[in-house]
Amino acid sequence: MTAQQTELQNLPSDLKRELLPKHVAVIMDGNGRWAKRQGLPRIMGHKRGVDALKDLLRCCKDWGIQALTAYAFSTENWKRPQEEVDFLMTLFQRVLRQELREMVEENVQIQFVGNLGALPRSLQAEISRSMAETSHNQAIRFTVATNYGGRQEILQACRAIAHKVQQGLIQPDQIDEQLFERHLYTAGITDPDLLIRTSGEMRLSNFLLWQMAYGEIYITDALWPDFDRTEFYRALCAYQQRERRFGTV
Ligand code: FPP
């Protein structure tokens, strides 16, 4: 931790605790560009990206934010070079194995959302273990979107509801927002209040399409491995300036 970051151990005094987002989501973009700038292979950017994510999780916990969701792997990311996909799958598995003890000690509840059945078996096993061992933890809810796509999530919810209608378990008139949300991967998780995207791209990239209906979006030019407590502080300052109206005047 740098000297400046040590200073940011506690919630900075100019941030209002009552106006903190309850749930922050992140699109961790720019790992490849970060690595290229350092003259390193792309995969080194992902390795450093894990460190940035760990720091952010700790920071959210220190500052009293209840939930963090990170977009680790999209349904489109399979189109990357096989070598990079393999590296990422192995990285997720290794990080999960290495960090599980600490997550248990730190009272972190980890969960995964996405089409998890299409992931390598060994990764699925690690995911199940980490979710089971942290399921009663309460300090912070950490959700990792892996093989996740917002459109696919909405489609699978539609399919599940259609089957229930076909079986006579649900009447079409009963389909409302609450019922629909219970069929999303994120059932039971509150919608994000703030979505942060790094590396300057201004897109949702198929992330939390339903859940971000009223969420605030903050874009920073910082590349993900450089996203630290100072950057997070800036994002929260910007968020606290926003007037959230949820469609009212
Ligand atoms: C986007 O940068 C980043 C990813 C697709 C991977 C993000 C994954 C991690 C940081 C690891 C998280 C680990 C766990 C266990 C949750 P990019 O490759 O698109 O960068 P570029 O746009 O500069 O090419």
Side-chain angles (χ1 to χ4, degrees), residues 141-160:
R141 193 168 197 175
F142 176 41
T143 305
V144 185
T146 312
N147 195 21
Y148 174 89
R151 287 186 174 182
Q152 290 81 350
E153 177 184 36
I154 289 170
L155 285 175
Q156 68 76 35
C158 290
R159 261 182 242 119

Side-chain angles (χ1 to χ4, degrees), residues 63-200:
W63 291 1
I65 290 167
Q66 296 159 15
L68 173 68
T69 295
Y71 202 5
F73 195 86
S74 75
T75 44
E76 289 71 36
N77 285 156
W78 296 108
K79 295 179 200 136
R80 291 185 174 216
Q82 191 60 42
E83 218 184 16
E84 185 172 341
V85 170
D86 291 345
F87 177 83
L88 281 168
M89 294 299 143
T90 311
L91 180 72
F92 297 155
Q93 199 172 321
R94 199 177 58 227
V95 170
L96 272 183
R97 201 176 306 129
Q98 282 170 356
E99 302 299 327
L100 182 57
R101 196 56 29 229
E102 199 173 332
M103 285 192 287
V104 169
E105 280 164 18
E106 299 257 340
N107 204 13
V108 174
Q109 182 190 124
I110 189 168
Q111 62 195 138
F112 286 77
V113 290
N115 179 7
L116 306 179
L119 295 171
R121 282 279 161 81
S122 51
L123 176 57
Q124 287 185 48
E126 213 63 60
I127 285 175
S128 302
R129 191 162 75 101
S130 63
M131 282 173 52
E133 287 196 27
T134 64
S135 64
H136 298 294
N137 291 354
Q138 286 182 338
I140 185 165
R141 193 168 197 175
F142 176 41
T143 305
V144 185
T146 312
N147 195 21
Y148 174 89
R151 287 186 174 182
Q152 290 81 350
E153 177 184 36
I154 289 170
L155 285 175
Q156 68 76 35
C158 290
R159 261 182 242 119
I161 294 169
H163 280 300
K164 288 185 184 172
V165 171
Q166 200 175 35
Q167 290 164 11
L169 300 170
I170 296 174
Q171 295 303 312
D173 291 348
Q174 288 176 293
I175 303 171
D176 58 11
E177 290 188 17
Q178 286 73 30
L179 184 137
F180 196 78
E181 279 168 2
R182 287 201 293 277
H183 291 82
L184 293 173
Y185 298 137
T186 54
I189 305 175
T190 56
D191 291 342
D193 304 293
L194 171 65
L195 169 69
I196 299 171
R197 182 167 187 156
T198 53
S199 90

